[in-house]
Amino acid sequence: MIRPILRMGDPRLLQVSQPVTEFNTPELEALITDMFETMHDADGAGLAAPQIGVLLRVVIFGFEKLDRYPDAPEVPPTVLINPVLEPLTTDLEEGWEGCLSVPGLRGVVPRVARLRYSGFDAQGTAFTREVDGFHARVVQHECDHLDGILYPMRVKDFSKFGYTEVLFPGHAGGDD
Ligand code: NI
């Protein structure tokens, strides 16, 4: 079921979400199914459970080729629950971000360039990945949602924050 996506200004987006304690349940499966349907409907690269008003530490992400990020490599469809992120470098990389909860806008955000993330899938199986580039950026963006952080809070240079259609005339559109 496609669920409404909360937009910036909704206080639920500023909450710290709770860890998942029970895996492999119909409720968790239904949540994840809804999240993928909602993300695909909105043509997004990722989605966090609090964006549909569920304050649990669940994020999904993954995409093949995105019109909006033509240089981004593919990322496999991933369910990441109770994530832990460990930076593998102190180097920061700047890159453009958008968010389905902040429609119509884009901003440049500095993020850790390389990191290890670990967590659980829907069945409760633990896994770990080391990633860099856009994959690392998406994970950081989505996991920020679990702590009530929206990307505009991380923008440092407000000359690189604005409306997509003004920043990128003729842009393909889409909001995340
Ligand atoms: Ni977002």
Side-chain angles (χ1 to χ4, degrees):
M1 184 174 56
I2 295 166
R3 308 265 290 259
I5 297 173
L6 307 186
R7 287 179 299 160
M8 186 167 66
D10 190 305
R12 288 171 286 181
L13 290 172
L14 304 177
Q15 301 288 309
V16 176
S17 290
Q18 297 300 307
V20 169
T21 54
E22 275 193 278
F23 293 89
N24 214 5
T25 65
E27 293 78 12
L28 187 58
E29 281 299 334
L31 170 64
I32 289 164
T33 300
D34 285 359
M35 287 175 68
F36 273 106
E37 286 183 16
T38 303
M39 179 179 84
H40 289 142
D41 176 65
D43 203 18
L47 189 74
Q51 290 182 277
I52 58 168
V54 176
L55 298 181
L56 289 172
R57 301 187 80 79
V58 178
V59 303
I60 63 165
F61 48 86
F63 42 84
E64 294 179 352
K65 216 57 181 163
L66 292 167
D67 287 347
R68 299 187 301 294
Y69 302 97
D71 300 327
E74 294 188 358
V75 174
T78 300
V79 175
L80 177 61
I81 301 174
N82 298 348
V84 176
L85 274 49
E86 302 165 69
L88 296 175
T89 174
T90 54
D91 293 348
L92 298 178
E93 237 169 40
E94 296 198 325
W96 287 96
E97 296 187 17
C99 181
L100 296 174
S101 294
V102 191
L105 296 167
R106 285 284 185 285
V108 165
V109 181
R111 298 280 189 188
V112 170
R114 217 166 92 75
L115 59 85
R116 178 186 299 123
Y117 65 89
S118 50
F120 300 87
D121 68 13
Q123 283 71 46
T125 305
F127 69 100
T128 296
R129 284 183 189 152
E130 290 183 10
V131 298
D132 58 13
F134 194 70
H135 192 155
R137 175 171 300 280
V138 168
V139 173
Q140 290 171 82
H141 175 116
E142 297 312 328
C143 292
D144 263 357
H145 279 294
L146 306 181
D147 292 321
I149 299 167
L150 300 169
Y151 85 82
M153 301 173 186
R154 296 205 183 272
V155 169
K156 301 289 185 219
D157 177 355
F158 283 90
S159 73
K160 294 175 182 154
F161 179 60
Y163 291 98
T164 311
E165 61 191 33
V166 178
L167 288 163
F168 306 107
H171 189 272
D175 287 317
D176 196 27

